[in-house]
Amino acid sequence: MRIENIPESYIANGNLNKNLFIYDLKMTETAIKTKVNLNMHMFSFLQVGKKQVHFLDTSVIVDNKQSILIPKGNCLWSELLDKENTYYCKLLFFSEQQLIDFLNKHVTKENSSKKIPSYFVIENDTYITAYLNSLTSISNSSMEFTENLLTVKFEELLLYLQSKYKNDFNNYLLSLVHKEKTSFKYNIEQNIYSSLSLEEIAFLCNMSLSTFKRHFIKEYNLSPGKWFREKRLLKAKTILEEGKLKASDIYLELGYSNLQNFSSAFKSRFGISPSSI
């Protein structure tokens, strides 16, 4: 699967020399788990359809009732069509420097003991609706006017969200420029029971699959395929022994694409079929 460099892929010549950039993304086909190398921080204002984003430690799905702020870096996203087989999302990209300029002007560093999430969800309201309408008007204006006014509109948006979400939003913005690097082992253990493939987990770790496997074996003294399979099958056995769920209820969330593959792996490991439990 190819890696999509965004927002560069949305520009005709692929070159981006802006601190702020608006793009209207319209689709008529569903895209599942696109590998995205996001080179700018991004607000995603979903208008029609649903969007799911996978990060190393979690995933999130939003519809047109919410917007989402996504940090630059590697992620996987799926764009799901609405009933009318359409998907429409207004994207606002901003550079690190643009963010730093805002923080220096409007944010005093907070001391927060809370874990900072991988994304920030915004509940849409009448202000957001009016704001998006104003962005549409700006994008239809002359280039020089657009660049100057967009800088003002970006500051306006962040000030509004700052007033709405207080320190939670400030701390999230600060985390974007002071992002702590988590350990390889932590990242792996956040995905023990995820539906992501090894290749997808490697991508989120910003590694090739071969490099990922070398790091994994060094850390765990076992190949990632065997390690993940063992962890997931032991978890499945525990769940089934509780008697509340069947194999058909759990195979997807434990990383198996179909019930038959799960049943075969389970029987090979424990000598009995999941249904016997």
Side-chain angles (χ1 to χ4, degrees):
M1 185 189 298
R2 71 184 182 89
I3 298 172
E4 190 166 358
N5 292 301
I6 293 177
E8 288 81 356
S9 62
Y10 297 153
I11 305 165
N13 58 14
N15 294 320
L16 181 67
N17 296 309
K18 296 181 180 180
N19 284 318
L20 291 164
F21 176 61
I22 303 174
Y23 186 77
D24 288 334
L25 179 61
K26 299 178 180 179
M27 302 176 62
T28 56
E29 293 183 1
T30 290
I32 302 295
K33 287 185 183 176
T34 302
K35 286 183 178 178
V36 174
N37 180 17
L38 191 59
N39 293 308
M40 297 176 76
H41 304 303
M42 183 189 80
F43 283 99
S44 176
F45 300 103
L46 192 58
Q47 306 296 286
V48 181
K50 292 183 179 180
K51 186 186 198 85
Q52 184 176 32
V53 186
H54 287 272
F55 305 92
L56 254 176
D57 59 345
T58 189
S59 65
V60 61
I61 186 165
V62 294
D63 57 18
N64 61 1
K65 295 182 180 65
Q66 296 174 315
S67 298
I68 182 171
L69 172 52
I70 303 173
K72 68 178 183 178
N74 287 5
C75 58
L76 304 167
W77 69 43
S78 301
E79 287 144 330
L80 311 173
L81 305 184
D82 205 350
K83 295 176 183 178
E84 291 78 19
N85 289 325
T86 57
Y87 176 92
Y88 172 46
C89 189
K90 186 176 285 291
L91 306 175
L92 173 59
F93 299 92
F94 59 97
S95 69
E96 194 96 330
Q97 188 56 54
Q98 195 74 41
L99 176 59
I100 290 171
D101 290 345
F102 176 84
L103 292 173
N104 288 338
K105 188 176 179 181
H106 296 289
V107 178
T108 301
K109 188 171 183 180
E110 298 287 338
N111 293 318
S112 175
S113 58
K114 294 181 181 178
K115 182 181 183 299
I116 304 297
S118 298
Y119 56 87
F120 197 92
V121 171
I122 298 155
E123 298 298 328
N124 290 341
D125 54 23
T126 54
Y127 170 84
I128 296 295
T129 300
Y131 183 81
L132 295 179
N133 289 335
S134 70
L135 289 186
T136 300
S137 300
I138 291 173
S139 61
N140 294 329
S141 306
S142 64
M143 183 175 294
E144 182 178 357
F145 178 78
T146 297
E147 291 178 357
N148 292 335
L149 189 53
L150 192 55
T151 299
V152 176
K153 294 296 293 183
F154 174 74
E155 185 174 7
E156 175 195 336
L157 174 64
L158 265 59
L159 286 172
Y160 173 74
L161 296 175
Q162 190 181 61
S163 69
K164 184 174 182 178
Y165 295 107
K166 312 299 186 211
N167 287 340
D168 286 345
F169 186 67
N170 285 341
N171 288 330
Y172 183 78
L173 292 182
L174 288 165
S175 77
L176 296 181
V177 293
H178 303 293
K179 198 159 189 178
E180 295 182 7
K181 188 174 181 181
T182 54
S183 70
F184 178 77
K185 191 171 183 178
Y186 173 84
N187 291 332
I188 293 303
E189 294 180 5
Q190 293 300 302
N191 286 282
I192 293 176
Y193 309 117
S194 79
S195 61
L196 301 179
S197 67
L198 290 182
E199 185 181 3
E200 289 166 342
I201 296 173
F203 173 74
L204 293 176
C205 289
N206 199 26
M207 296 178 181
S208 67
L209 183 57
S210 58
T211 301
F212 174 81
K213 287 180 177 179
R214 286 199 302 273
H215 276 262
F216 195 99
I217 292 170
K218 183 178 179 181
E219 183 72 44
Y220 292 98
N221 295 313
L222 195 67
S223 72
K226 290 181 179 179
W227 188 87
F228 275 104
R229 184 165 55 251
E230 179 69 6
K231 292 287 186 181
R232 291 170 178 177
L233 289 174
L234 287 173
K235 176 72 171 179
K237 186 171 183 288
T238 299
I239 293 173
L240 292 174
E241 285 175 342
E242 291 173 351
K244 296 179 181 179
L245 297 173
K246 298 181 294 184
S248 57
D249 299 321
I250 65 173
Y251 74 92
L252 282 175
E253 67 182 65
L254 291 176
Y256 286 85
S257 58
N258 62 68
L259 181 57
Q260 184 177 354
N261 286 348
F262 170 72
S263 297
S264 297
F266 191 94
K267 187 171 183 178
S268 177
R269 171 65 178 83
F270 298 111
I272 57 174
S273 66
S275 58
S276 299
I277 294 181

